[in-house]
Amino acid sequence: MSVSTAPTRSRHRWFPLPHRLVRSLAGQLFVVQVVIVAAVVAGGAVLAYLFTAERTEDAARREVTSVAHAVADSPTVRSAVGGPDPTAVLQPYVEQVRQDAGVSFITVMDTDGVRWTHPLPGQIGKQYLGHIDWALAGQTRSETYTGTLGPSVRVVTPVWDDRHRVVALVSVGLTLESISAQLSGPLLALVGVAAGALALGGLGTYLANSRLRRHTHGMGPDELSHLYEYHQATLHSVREGLILLDRAHRVVLCNDAARELLGLAGELDGRPVDGLGLPEALVAAVLGEVPARDEVHLTAERVVVLNTSTIGIGLGRVVTLRDHTELQSLSGELDSVRGFTEALGAQAHEAANRLHAVVSLIELGRHEQAVEFATAELALAQQLTDRVVAAVSEPVLAALLLGKAAQAAERGVELTLTEDSRIDDGVLPPGLAPRDLITVLGNLIDNAVDAAIAGAAHSPVAPEVTVTARIEDPRLGDGGGAGAGVAGGVGGAGRGDALDGACLLLRVADTGAGIDPSAVEDVFRRGWSTKQDGRGHGLGLALVAQAARRNGGTVEVGRERGAVLTVRLPLAGRVRECEGATA
């Protein structure tokens, strides 16, 4: 025996729908709006009914009052009141007037309230049911009273004779039933209008909330609140910088990564993007009509990759930023390593050629010439190495200088180290990153070599690059003494005090054409380059300025035979920063 589960499936399929509808924000708004519309329509209908009923009752009073005055002033009534049989004259006359006027009854009575006329002949001669005191006093008043025909709105007015005496009374009335019958038509129309208004309001509310339900995906207020919280938490936790702009290019959202990458602080919501103090090139790329795709830009301390895209049709813009600083530094180190490799290859090739020359001289029996040639070449190669190692004990700088010297020699440029260059081992504080030293000195030498080669094409002067690397201390007179004096105070507790005012000086001069004074302000801007072959990216000097700024240093542009660029990196601040981090 099997039991069908179809009803259960049907119940679970159809019954939860209203529950889900009410749970959603659109469903709750729909219910609230329908209740409001229904309440407004019902209240309006009730007020309209009461107003119509009151107006109808007032109209009935005016109508019966007019008919009562007309009958009381009629000559037929006045003459019949003084006759021997008033009923015989007045009954047919009053009934004709009643039918023509459309009232419920017209009763003519004597001053004692005995009826002479009535729609029901059996009531003639009986006492009138109602108040007649004010009519006997000569007044006309209306009242709602229950008589022989039921509740009615009635008026009693006096009939005057020629000597202005009250000789009879006339009462005219409309039953409440007839008044209600008059209200039935407007009431039905009112109910129809109210029902139509309710249906139209409900339909409009349903359509509006259907659209809202589509946009909110049927989620309720709690779900939307949680979704907003998840949205905020996600946007602020991602490592990629994110900025949302509205159609007026004002900041709507800036997550923590974007604040860190751009060095922004304080309240940013509602501020225009061109008022955040960002580099002009970066702002121009953000506000440009063409979306940016992996554009590299420099800020005060970082290299960032920029991407932009529009939101909808003119609703705003999404700006994403990726930190390219580490990658750019690693790329610079890779270029240096590649340069070292190429230089070693060139040296190996030259060494092989020299070795072949020595072997050939020996084979020819010219042993003295072979020894002299080998000794001279060895002395020439060792001279620069000894000079660099003796002057610069810092291994990173020494290795960089040796590699760049070999690379420059391969390109036909002589790289020399000045006599006053002196950096003892351990002078540079741990806070001064070797990566920054490679970025600064490597880019300065590369640009100087390129400038010297370009200058040699228009000048008979042999291309040459001169490098100065020393510790500069304003308290000591010479550079060598500064290096030695500072080095003596490095190891102790007073290291920071010993380095107060001291800085690492890196100066690179070339024999090129120099830098035009009008272009000095643009030298360290991204994209500036003097290369005409299109191979320059304009990043070298910009990275130098950025590294110097990051370490609290300065960059100066001068001119001797060619361009002279001088970088000073303070040492005391780097020491305290490192000691503070350790503490």
Side-chain angles (χ1 to χ4, degrees), residues 269-324:
D269 292 349
R271 293 178 58 183
V273 69
D274 54 0
L276 300 179
L278 302 177
E280 295 181 2
L282 180 60
V283 174
V286 170
L287 301 181
E289 296 182 0
V290 179
R293 291 290 180 269
D294 293 333
E295 291 188 6
V296 178
H297 290 270
L298 273 74
T299 64
E301 297 183 357
R302 295 181 182 272
V303 180
V304 296
V305 178
L306 174 72
N307 284 276
T308 63
S309 61
T310 58
I311 304 173
I313 304 177
L315 297 179
R317 186 161 297 185
V318 178
V319 180
T320 59
L321 302 164
R322 298 196 310 273
D323 191 359
H324 204 58

Side-chain angles (χ1 to χ4, degrees), residues 37-91:
V37 170
V40 170
V41 171
V46 170
L47 291 177
Y49 172 76
L50 294 177
F51 177 76
T52 303
E54 184 179 358
R55 292 290 297 271
T56 303
E57 189 170 344
D58 290 341
R61 285 192 174 91
R62 289 194 297 271
E63 181 180 356
V64 296
T65 300
S66 300
V67 174
H69 283 303
V71 172
D73 293 339
S74 173
T76 302
V77 174
R78 288 186 176 183
S79 61
V81 165
D85 189 3
T87 299
V89 177
L90 294 177
Q91 179 67 11

Side-chain angles (χ1 to χ4, degrees), residues 424-430 483-496 498-499 575 579:
D424 290 338
D425 189 16
V427 172
L428 301 182
V486 173
V490 165
R495 178 177 181 178
L499 293 177
V575 171
E579 292 175 349

